[in-house]
Amino acid sequence: MRFNTKELAYYASTRFGKADKEGALWMKEYEGLIKKKETYTQRWFLLTGNLLFYCREEHPDSMVVGLIIVEKCRVEVESTEGNRNGFRLMFDEDGVGYSFVANSAREQDEWRTAIATTSYEYLRMAFSELRGQLMHLTGKDPLVEDHPLGTLPITTVPALPTTAPAFEGKAVFELSLACSSLVGSLHDSVPNSLIVTSCMRPPQAYWIRYAQTEVVEHNCDPQFYTTVVFYAGSVSLHTRIKFEVFDKHESKMCPIGQATCTVLDIIKAPDTCCRLEVKFDDVTCGYLHIRAWKSEVNGGESGLELSAGSQVTKSPTPDLLSEEDVADGGGGASEPGSEFMSPAKFSFSAPMDNIVVRSYLFPVINSSDEKLKVTEVMGEGRYSFSIPMQLLELFIEEETRALQQYASLEGLRQEWEIGRQEVALVHSEMISQYKENCSGLQAQLEAGVTFKKSTAKGMPELDFVPVNLHIQQMKVGRGEEEKERVVYTCVTAGCPTAYSHKFKQGGLAKLRSTTPLANIGSTNPSTVTKTQRGQALLGQIEVVLGDLQKEVDSIRSAARGRVLTSVHTSTRALAENVHKLKSLCNINLIHDSLRDLAGAVEPEFKLSETNVVALCRRVEEHVVSVEAVVSSLTPSNIERWCELLEKPLVDFLSALTTTTTIFRKAVIFLFLRESYSLLQERVPLGLKSYLHRHDIVFSQAVTVTITSFVFKLLQSFAVPSFLTQLHKVGFLLHWESLLSTHGDEQGMLEDFIVAIADINQLTFKLCLAETLQDFPQVSGSRYKMCVEVPVQKTMFRLLPAPLQNGAEISVSAILFTQGINEQQTIADRFGDSTLQDQINIRSLTELTSYCSRYRECLGNSSTTLVQKSLRSFQLLEQLRIHVHSRKSKKVEILALSQEICRTVDGGRVTSCKSAKDRTAMGVTLEQTQILVKEMKMAPSEYQHCLDTMRSYGTRIRNAEKNIGARQYAFNALQVLTLPIPYRPPENTYKKKQQLQT
C-alpha cells in the first residue's frame, strides 16, 4: 500500500481527543540489532475508522511510531502468566500478529470490541444484515432505486430456519404451496424458487421463522412437495402467516417477493384454495396458491375454533402409532416462538423424544389430481442411556460375584494364589471402572443429554451408549380421506463398536481368531467355551439345589401333617433330583477340573474326594437312608415320624452341601485357570481390555435391538399373525451396515460380527405394565440375557396365551453389509473385501432359515401370508445371485434384504460409522423406493423425491444435531466414489473441505 507519511502523521495529530477510541496500551516490541529481545513498551494508541495509530506519548506533537490498518484480521485473547489482560491482533493473509497488554480487564474488553467492529468488512456485513432484516419485516428494500449502496449483497433470511419446529402432539392444520408466473430476481431469468414461512401470533409483534420448502429449479410455476404443518397450540384463527419467495442461485438467495395473510383468510377462501399476490416494493412478481386442510384430533377436535360454514377439507390426523398414546405437548417455554418448538411428551407406547416432522405431497402414478400425503418422523431413542445403565449394573453384579467365587478358593499353591490375586485385581478394576461409567451416564442424564452425538463417539465416559440412536418412520396416506399409516420404521445408530479403544489390533472377531482370547465371551454355539459351559453348569446346579431343598421341606411338612402319601411322593422327587445332579456333574468338564484343583491346593487343604461318581454316591447313600426310614413309617409310629426323618435328612443336606461345594470350587477353578492363562499369554490385548471392549459392543447392540423390538411391536401389535410369529418363529432383526472393509472400519466390522452373535442369545418376554412410564428391564448375564418389555393392559389381552404366560421370544439377528464410500473403493481395488462377502453369505443362509420357519408356521394361515411367503423366497433367489456375484459395491444386496425383511415383518436397523451421512443416504433411498414400488408414487418424481428428502427432510436435521451444520460430511471426491443412488444433492455437502464421516 502506498501512502504519504507526513499526511498520515498530521492526520493522527488532529485526532487527539476526537478518535473513536484512544488510550495507553503496552505493545510487544523487539530491541537489539543482532540478538532480538522481546520487551513491552507503553504507547499511546488512536483508533480512528480502520486506522490504528500508536505514538510515543499522549500529546498532539508526539511522534507517530507506527500505523496498523485494521482489515482482514481478528482479535484473540492472549493471556500469559503475569499478563492476564493481553490480546493479539492476527492478520489472516500473512499470519503477522501484534501483541498488546491493557492496564485492566475492562480496558482489554473495550479495545478488543472497538478493534473488532471498526473494519470496513465488519461494517459492510452489519449494513447488509440490517438491510435484510428490514426487508424481512416490511417486504420492501429500505434503499431507493439506484442508491450507491444498492449493489451490496443482502443478508436475507437463512436458507433454513434456525430452529426446526418439533413435533408437538398431533397435526391440526396443514398447507400445500405452489406459485405461478414468478419473475426471476435476475433479468429475464427463470427462478430457482423456495418459500420461507414465518408466523406472528397476536399479541406478538415479531415474526418467527417456522418452515421452508425445497428448491424447485428453473420453473416459473413451481409446485412444492414440502408442506407446512402446524401442531396443536401453535396457531389460532388470527395467526398471521408470511410467505417469502426467494430465488436461489448457487449460495446466494435473492428475494422475489412476499405475501401475507391470516389463518382465517386461508380457511374462508373459496374451495379451500387461497390465491395471494407475491409482491416486492408493491410490484406484483407472481402468485402464491395455498391449499389447506384441517386434521382431526381425538375424534374431531381440531384445536382451531372454526366459524360456522367454514370450508376446510378434513384429513385424518397423522398418527405416529396405532394406539392413541400421544400426550399433549408441554408448555412453560419462555423464549419467543417456544410454542412452535416444545417437544412432545409421549407415554411408554412411543419411546422417543425431540421429534422432528417433515411432510410432503407427491403425485400418484396415472393421476393428475390424487396426491400421496407423506410424513417423515424422526426422534431420539429414549433408551439410549437407561439400558446401558441397567447393563452396567448387571456387569458390576457379575464381576462382584466372580470376586466372591475366587475368594472361596482357599489353600491354593503359591503360583496359583498369585494368579488368583492377579485375576481378582482385574475384576476389581472393572468394577471400579463400571461404577465410574454409571456415574458418568447419570450425570449426562441430569445435564439433559438425550443422545450421544457423533462428535462424542470417542468419549470413554459414553462408551456404552450407542452413537446417534434415532428412530425413523414414514407414514403415507393416499388421497384426502385415507388415514395415514406407518409403512416404514427403521432404527438408525452408529455401528456397535468401541471407538475409544481404537482399532490397532483389529476388532473382537479378529482378536478371537488370532489369540487365546477366543475363550472369553463367545456366544456362537459352534465355539461354546469352557467358561460358558461352566457358567451354565453353575446355574443348573443352583436350580437343582433349590429343588432338593424344596423336597426336603416338603417331606418335613408332610411328616408334620402326617400325610404318608405326600412323604412318599416327595421322597421319590428327592431321588429323581439327586439323579439329575449326578447327570449334570458326571461330565469331563467336572472330572478335569477336579483333577486340576486337586493338584493346585496345598496338602493340608487336600480334597476329601476327587472322583465325581464317588462324591455323588455319598449323596445317593443318604437318599437311600431317607428312603429306608420313609418305608418304615407306619400309623403305629406316627407320633415319631418327624423324629425318625430328621437325622437322615440333616445328614443328606450335609453330604449334599459338601459335594456341591467341591463341584463349585472345581468350576470356579476352571474360570481361574482360563482367565489366568490370558494373563500369562503375551497377547496384544489383555483380559481386562478385551472384556471391557466386549461389554461396550454388547451394550450398544442390546440397546439398539430393544429399541427396534419395541417399535416393531407397537407398529404391528394389532396384527394377530405377527404376535403368533413372535411366539413360534421369533423376532427377525435385519441390521444393514454401510461400513467399508478398509482401515478402522474393518475393525468396526469385526466388532459388529460379535455384536450380532451376542444378540442371537438375547430373548424377550412381554409382561403387564404397572404404569405408562415402565421401561424394559434387563436380567441375566453376559452369556444369557432376557429383556422384559412391559405392555399396557389393553394390549396385553391381545397376546397369545403362551406370551401372556411368560414364553420367551427368540431373536434372529442377521447382518448384511456393503461398503459404499471411497474406503471401500480402495479395498475393492487394492485390498481385501473377503470379510464382507463371508458375512453376507452367512447372513443369506440364516435369513433363508428364518423364512423357511416362517413358511412352516404361518405360510398356510391366510392368503396374505401365503403371498408373503412366496414373495420372500422369490426375493431370496435374487439375493442369492447378487451375494455370490463378483461385482464391487453390490448395493442390490441391501435393497433386496430390506424388502425381504419388510415382507416377513422383521425389524430394521441401518448403521454406518456414526449413522449420520451414509445412513441418511440409505434411509432416504429406502423410503423413496417404498413410495415408488409399494405406494404407487409417480416414477418420474423419483429423483426429485430423493433430493427433497435429503435436502429438507429429517435426516439433514440429524446432521445438524450432530455437527451443528445442515450439511452432510462428504467432500466432492467422496461423493464421486458413492454409488449414484447414494449421492447427496448439490449444496448439501462441503465440496472442498474434508469432513470426518
Side-chain angles (χ1 to χ4, degrees):
M1 179 182 293
R2 308 177 92 183
F3 55 88
N4 188 298
T5 306
K6 290 184 179 181
E7 289 182 354
L8 283 175
Y10 173 75
Y11 177 73
S13 67
T14 64
R15 302 306 298 169
F16 274 83
K18 303 176 183 178
D20 300 329
K21 173 73 178 171
E22 61 180 294
L25 290 173
W26 294 86
M27 183 177 183
K28 182 190 286 188
E29 297 179 347
Y30 297 90
E31 297 179 349
L33 296 175
I34 300 176
K35 188 175 181 180
K36 300 289 184 180
K37 179 182 178 182
E38 291 184 3
T39 182
Y40 278 89
T41 307
Q42 190 176 44
R43 302 294 187 191
W44 188 260
F45 284 83
L46 301 166
L47 179 63
T48 177
N50 60 352
L51 303 178
L52 181 62
F53 297 95
Y54 52 101
C55 310
R56 287 192 183 276
E57 55 189 23
E58 182 186 358
H59 192 277
D61 297 330
S62 176
M63 176 182 175
V64 177
V65 179
L67 167 65
I68 301 172
I69 300 176
V70 185
E71 289 295 340
K72 296 184 178 180
C73 59
R74 62 186 184 277
V75 185
E76 301 174 347
V77 175
E78 188 184 46
S79 295
T80 58
E81 188 174 353
N83 294 326
R84 298 190 179 277
N85 301 321
F87 61 95
R88 185 175 179 83
L89 188 61
M90 290 294 298
F91 287 84
D92 298 333
E93 291 184 354
D94 51 14
V96 174
Y98 297 89
S99 296
F100 308 94
V101 176
N103 292 319
S104 67
R106 183 178 61 82
E107 288 187 13
Q108 179 202 40
D109 291 339
E110 289 177 355
W111 275 105
R112 285 178 56 215
T113 302
I115 294 173
T117 58
T118 195
S119 68
Y120 171 77
E121 186 179 15
Y122 172 83
L123 294 175
R124 183 177 60 180
M125 180 181 66
F127 174 83
S128 298
E129 185 174 345
L130 289 172
R131 183 183 176 192
Q133 290 178 10
L134 286 171
M135 292 178 65
H136 178 66
L137 291 171
T138 65
K140 298 181 181 180
D141 191 340
L143 299 182
V144 297
E145 191 175 356
D146 298 329
H147 192 282
L149 299 179
T151 57
L152 291 178
I154 305 171
T155 303
T156 59
V157 177
L160 287 167
T162 54
T163 304
F167 180 81
E168 181 182 2
K170 293 187 177 183
V172 296
F173 193 59
E174 193 161 0
L175 307 178
S176 173
L177 306 178
C179 291
S180 62
S181 305
L182 287 182
V183 178
S185 60
L186 302 178
H187 182 65
D188 293 333
S189 65
V190 178
N192 302 322
S193 52
L194 64 90
I195 299 177
V196 174
T197 304
S198 302
C199 295
M200 182 189 294
R201 184 176 181 181
Q204 293 174 349
Y206 47 83
W207 292 104
I208 299 170
R209 291 192 293 273
Y210 186 73
Q212 178 191 314
T213 66
E214 77 277 15
V215 176
V216 178
E217 297 183 347
H218 308 299
N219 197 331
C220 293
D221 304 308
Q223 168 72 52
F224 299 97
Y225 289 167
T226 307
T227 62
V228 181
V229 184
F230 297 98
Y231 302 100
S234 65
V235 291
S236 67
L237 290 175
H238 303 290
T239 297
R240 296 184 66 196
I241 306 176
K242 179 170 63 177
F243 304 93
E244 297 174 281
V245 185
F246 291 93
D247 185 3
K248 187 170 183 179
H249 292 280
E250 296 180 351
S251 60
K252 297 180 181 179
M253 288 175 57
C254 303
I256 295 177
Q258 67 178 27
T260 307
C261 64
T262 65
V263 172
L264 191 59
D265 294 335
I266 298 174
I267 290 174
K268 290 187 175 181
D271 299 325
T272 69
C273 185
C274 182
R275 182 175 181 267
L276 303 174
E277 289 185 336
V278 177
K279 292 187 176 183
F280 185 86
D281 282 346
D282 295 327
V283 177
T284 300
C285 303
Y287 299 92
L288 174 66
H289 304 272
I290 307 170
R291 179 174 169 273
W293 61 91
K294 177 174 68 70
S295 301
E296 298 175 354
V297 177
N298 297 331
E301 294 293 334
S302 69
L304 288 174
E305 297 178 0
L306 302 179
S307 59
S310 61
Q311 299 177 0
V312 178
T313 304
K314 289 191 176 183
S315 174
T317 304
D319 194 5
L320 183 66
L321 296 166
S322 59
E323 292 287 314
E324 291 186 357
D325 52 20
V326 183
D328 289 335
S334 58
E335 60 179 332
S338 60
E339 66 269 25
F340 294 105
M341 296 175 274
S342 300
K345 291 182 174 66
F346 289 91
S347 69
F348 165 76
S349 301
M352 59 179 175
D353 293 307
N354 298 324
I355 297 174
V356 178
V357 178
R358 296 290 182 268
S359 297
Y360 319 91
L361 286 175
F362 294 119
V364 177
I365 189 171
N366 298 329
S367 176
S368 58
D369 299 326
E370 194 174 12
K371 301 287 185 182
L372 278 181
K373 174 68 172 61
V374 179
T375 302
E376 276 189 295
V377 180
M378 182 191 71
E380 299 166 9
R382 191 174 285 181
Y383 306 146
S384 289
F385 286 82
S386 62
I387 298 300
M389 289 178 68
Q390 288 188 46
L391 291 171
L392 281 168
E393 291 173 359
L394 284 180
F395 295 156
I396 291 171
E397 291 177 6
E398 199 168 336
E399 297 301 317
T400 303
R401 189 162 54 248
L403 278 179
Q404 295 170 350
Q405 291 172 345
Y406 291 138
S408 67
L409 294 176
E410 299 176 345
L412 295 176
R413 296 182 184 274
Q414 184 178 1
E415 62 272 19
W416 282 109
E417 179 60 24
I418 293 172
R420 186 188 69 81
Q421 294 176 7
E422 291 181 3
V423 171
L425 180 62
V426 168
H427 290 283
S428 297
E429 291 174 348
M430 291 184 69
I431 291 173
S432 300
Q433 185 165 1
Y434 287 176
K435 286 181 177 178
E436 289 180 8
N437 286 123
C438 256
S439 302
L441 294 184
Q442 185 62 43
Q444 293 287 327
L445 280 176
E446 292 173 356
V449 179
T450 53
F451 82 109
K452 180 178 174 181
K453 295 183 179 181
S454 64
T455 53
K457 58 179 174 284
M459 294 174 59
E461 59 267 31
L462 296 178
D463 271 342
F464 291 83
V465 179
V467 176
N468 194 18
L469 176 61
H470 281 75
I471 298 93
Q472 180 82 21
Q473 287 190 321
M474 182 174 70
K475 300 178 292 179
V476 178
R478 186 166 177 174
E480 296 176 352
E481 300 302 326
E482 180 182 341
K483 183 176 180 178
E484 284 189 314
R485 59 188 178 91
V486 177
V487 298
Y488 172 76
T489 300
C490 181
V491 175
T492 62
C495 70
T497 188
Y499 296 96
S500 65
H501 285 229
K502 310 298 182 184
F503 305 94
K504 197 171 184 180
Q505 307 297 336
L508 290 171
K510 182 177 180 181
L511 292 167
R512 282 182 175 176
S513 63
T514 58
T515 73
L517 288 167
N519 295 329
I520 297 294
S522 174
T523 53
N524 189 327
S526 63
T527 57
V528 174
T529 64
K530 290 182 179 180
T531 300
Q532 288 178 265
R533 291 166 59 196
Q535 291 281 7
L537 181 60
L538 278 183
Q540 292 169 337
I541 289 175
E542 294 301 325
V543 171
V544 174
L545 283 178
D547 293 341
L548 286 169
Q549 183 63 54
K550 287 179 182 178
E551 297 305 334
V552 170
D553 293 340
S554 297
I555 292 173
R556 286 170 170 165
S557 177
R560 287 193 298 270
R562 301 177 181 181
V563 183
L564 187 58
T565 55
S566 297
V567 172
H568 282 282
T569 301
S570 298
T571 303
R572 286 194 297 271
L574 187 73
E576 291 173 359
N577 280 302
V578 168
H579 180 72
K580 186 185 297 184
L581 177 66
K582 180 179 179 181
S583 301
L584 282 174
C585 298
N586 190 17
I587 56 176
N588 290 333
L589 183 72
I590 298 291
H591 285 288
D592 296 340
S593 299
L594 275 174
R595 186 179 61 252
D596 294 339
L597 177 60
V601 296
E602 296 289 354
E604 57 269 27
F605 290 91
K606 185 177 180 181
L607 299 178
S608 59
E609 182 60 67
T610 59
N611 186 285
V612 175
V613 176
L615 286 167
C616 291
R617 189 180 300 122
R618 291 181 182 179
V619 179
E620 288 174 331
E621 288 173 355
H622 287 283
V623 172
V624 172
S625 299
V626 172
E627 290 175 332
V629 172
V630 169
S631 63
S632 66
L633 298 180
T634 62
S636 61
N637 58 3
I638 193 171
E639 299 294 337
R640 299 184 58 224
W641 282 6
C642 292
E643 178 186 346
L644 294 172
L645 284 169
E646 188 60 26
K647 186 177 186 307
L649 288 176
V650 170
D651 292 341
F652 166 77
L653 290 175
S654 176
L656 180 65
T657 301
T658 301
T659 299
T660 52
T661 299
I662 293 174
F663 288 160
R664 282 199 197 96
K665 286 186 175 182
V667 176
I668 294 168
F669 184 76
L670 167 69
F671 300 159
L672 174 62
R673 188 182 61 193
E674 293 288 304
S675 299
Y676 189 46
S677 66
L678 297 178
L679 293 177
Q680 290 180 312
E681 294 281 349
R682 301 304 178 190
V683 295
L685 198 64
L687 172 63
K688 176 187 172 185
S689 296
Y690 181 89
L691 288 175
H692 190 200
R693 187 184 194 104
H694 179 271
D695 289 345
I696 290 171
V697 173
F698 183 62
S699 172
Q700 295 178 14
V702 168
T703 305
V704 174
T705 302
I706 292 174
T707 302
S708 179
F709 177 82
V710 169
F711 268 86
K712 186 61 186 176
L713 184 66
L714 292 172
Q715 179 184 339
S716 305
F717 210 97
V719 183
S721 62
F722 174 74
L723 300 177
T724 305
Q725 175 183 343
L726 288 182
H727 170 52
K728 294 184 176 180
V729 191
F731 174 59
L732 174 65
L733 180 65
H734 173 275
W735 209 315
E736 171 189 327
S737 160
L738 298 170
L739 294 173
S740 68
T741 53
H742 181 77
D744 285 352
E745 292 194 8
Q746 170 98 356
M748 296 178 193
L749 199 53
E750 290 165 356
D751 282 345
F752 214 149
I753 299 169
V754 176
I756 294 297
D758 290 342
I759 292 305
N760 279 300
Q761 306 303 310
L762 192 70
T763 57
F764 287 95
K765 280 185 181 180
L766 302 181
C767 61
L768 187 61
E770 296 180 359
T771 68
L772 290 177
Q773 300 300 328
D774 281 356
F775 270 40
Q777 297 297 314
V778 182
S779 61
S781 68
R782 293 179 176 97
Y783 306 103
K784 184 64 176 177
M785 191 165 288
C786 183
V787 182
E788 286 194 356
V789 178
V791 178
Q792 296 173 23
K793 187 175 181 180
T794 55
M795 303 168 75
F796 190 79
R797 290 198 297 263
L798 301 176
L799 294 174
L803 293 182
Q804 289 189 30
N805 296 330
E808 293 188 352
I809 300 169
S810 62
V811 176
S812 297
I814 56 172
L815 171 65
F816 282 95
T817 180
Q818 177 58 62
I820 61 173
N821 64 356
E822 77 285 356
Q823 298 291 331
Q824 189 59 46
T825 303
I826 295 172
D828 289 341
R829 294 187 180 181
F830 309 109
D832 185 8
S833 57
T834 304
L835 177 63
Q836 180 175 267
D837 295 335
Q838 290 175 345
I839 292 172
N840 291 335
I841 291 172
R842 184 173 63 190
S843 296
L844 174 63
T845 303
E846 294 171 354
L847 182 57
T848 303
S849 174
Y850 184 90
C851 290
S852 297
R853 300 198 305 274
Y854 179 90
R855 181 171 59 183
E856 292 172 5
C857 296
L858 302 169
N860 298 320
S861 302
S862 67
T863 304
T864 302
L865 294 177
V866 170
Q867 292 174 348
K868 282 187 173 185
S869 180
L870 291 174
R871 178 60 178 161
S872 66
F873 276 90
Q874 291 171 356
L875 293 170
L876 279 170
E877 288 303 316
Q878 299 177 37
L879 179 60
R880 183 173 289 105
I881 293 171
H882 288 288
V883 165
H884 292 282
S885 68
R886 294 295 181 181
K887 176 184 171 184
S888 64
K889 295 191 178 180
K890 299 176 284 189
V891 294
E892 297 84 1
I893 291 175
L894 303 179
L896 287 168
S897 60
Q898 292 164 5
E899 189 172 353
I900 295 171
C901 174
R902 295 195 302 270
T903 301
V904 295
D905 294 320
R908 282 274 296 108
V909 181
T910 297
S911 294
C912 60
K913 185 177 180 179
S914 56
K916 177 170 55 67
D917 306 305
R918 283 171 282 177
T919 295
M921 301 302 106
V923 166
T924 51
L925 177 63
E926 187 176 2
Q927 288 183 165
T928 305
Q929 289 173 339
I930 291 172
L931 291 176
V932 173
K933 292 182 179 179
E934 301 176 20
M935 299 292 111
K936 306 304 180 185
M937 185 184 79
S940 59
E941 301 299 324
Y942 176 89
Q943 192 60 47
H944 192 179
C945 171
L946 197 58
D947 290 345
T948 299
M949 286 185 174
R950 288 173 177 174
S951 300
Y952 309 101
T954 58
R955 297 314 300 187
I956 200 162
R957 172 75 176 118
N958 179 270
E960 182 187 34
K961 290 174 67 176
N962 280 275
I963 63 174
R966 288 181 182 253
Q967 285 184 318
Y968 299 115
F970 299 117
N971 59 30
L973 177 61
Q974 291 172 326
V975 169
L976 288 176
T977 61
L978 293 173
I980 292 176
Y982 288 85
R983 292 179 183 176
E986 291 289 328
N987 301 320
T988 62
Y989 60 91
K990 293 276 188 178
K991 292 187 177 181
K992 294 181 179 180
Q993 182 180 357
Q994 174 72 40
L995 290 176
Q996 184 179 0
T997 60

